[in-house]
Amino acid sequence: MAVRNLRIDGDDILSKKSREIEKIDERIQELIDDMIETMHKYNGVGLAGVQVGVLKRIFVIDLYDNNGPIVFINPKIIKTKGKQEVTEGCLSFPNQFAKIIRPAEVVAEYTDRNGKRMQVKAKELLAQAICHEYDHLEGEVFVDKIIPGTMEYMEE
Ligand code: NI
């Protein structure tokens, strides 16, 4: 396992669309382990492949609860419901936080690291994280969707 280099603000790769994963082979398993390690190293709740320079449709989420890290491969958002106004940040935009409107609930489908197709019904922070990470796969970043004037820059 290894911590991978984070791609940050200003890197063109962040606006590129990721491609489906066809086979969950050893390289993908290694990528998953590295992504989880990288997310934990920077205390993130989510990390997408593109953020470590891999344009594949994969992200990991860890809410630091009993569910542990969840690995989403080739995810699809099936349904969204309602709205929530939340504060958001991103490991690719260090020390920047802003308010954004996200769906209150989402139903998503994904393949787990064992190749099993799963479905999750999520609300609150998990719903927010799934939408945020899914956007990365589409080449979209949260700073383009924020409520204008709400960006705050935090010192480290
Ligand atoms: Ni992000």
Side-chain angles (χ1 to χ4, degrees):
M1 301 229 294
V3 172
R4 299 205 183 187
N5 283 337
L6 276 181
R7 301 302 189 95
I8 59 163
D9 192 6
D11 192 319
D12 285 349
I13 199 170
L14 293 173
S15 60
K16 295 196 172 140
K17 204 169 160 172
S18 294
R19 291 178 295 270
E20 294 266 317
I21 291 176
E22 281 166 23
K23 189 159 167 253
I24 305 170
D25 56 15
E26 266 176 44
R27 280 189 70 188
I28 296 293
Q29 295 292 352
E30 196 183 326
L31 172 67
I32 291 167
D33 289 337
D34 289 355
M35 284 176 65
I36 291 170
E37 196 176 337
T38 306
M39 169 176 67
H40 287 162
K41 156 103 176 163
Y42 296 104
N43 302 311
V45 298
L47 184 74
V50 59
Q51 294 181 275
V52 291
V54 179
L55 284 169
K56 293 188 190 298
R57 301 186 78 82
I58 180 169
F59 57 76
V60 294
I61 288 176
D62 196 345
L63 303 184
Y64 302 94
D65 59 11
N66 294 330
N67 295 321
I70 315 173
V71 180
F72 295 77
I73 297 167
N74 299 334
K76 292 216 161 40
I77 292 177
I78 310 287
K79 210 160 92 178
T80 65
K81 193 176 150 191
K83 284 180 188 166
Q84 56 176 335
E85 184 183 310
V86 287
T87 301
E88 199 159 296
C90 176
L91 292 181
S92 294
F93 294 81
N95 307 316
Q96 298 180 42
F97 298 90
K99 293 214 161 84
I100 184 166
I101 307 288
R102 292 290 189 190
E105 291 178 32
V106 303
V107 178
E109 232 180 63
Y110 62 98
T111 300
D112 72 10
R113 66 184 302 171
N114 301 313
K116 197 172 169 207
R117 198 69 183 163
M118 309 287 283
Q119 196 177 89
V120 61
K121 190 175 174 186
K123 55 184 185 174
E124 298 166 351
L125 181 57
L126 185 56
Q128 177 188 0
I130 289 171
C131 292
H132 177 111
E133 300 309 327
Y134 187 84
D135 281 353
H136 276 301
L137 307 187
E138 295 295 303
E140 294 167 9
V141 289
F142 88 108
V143 292
D144 295 334
K145 300 186 163 184
I146 60 171
I147 300 171
T150 63
M151 182 65 87
E152 288 186 41
Y153 299 88
M154 308 276 181
E155 293 290 320
E156 248 176 40

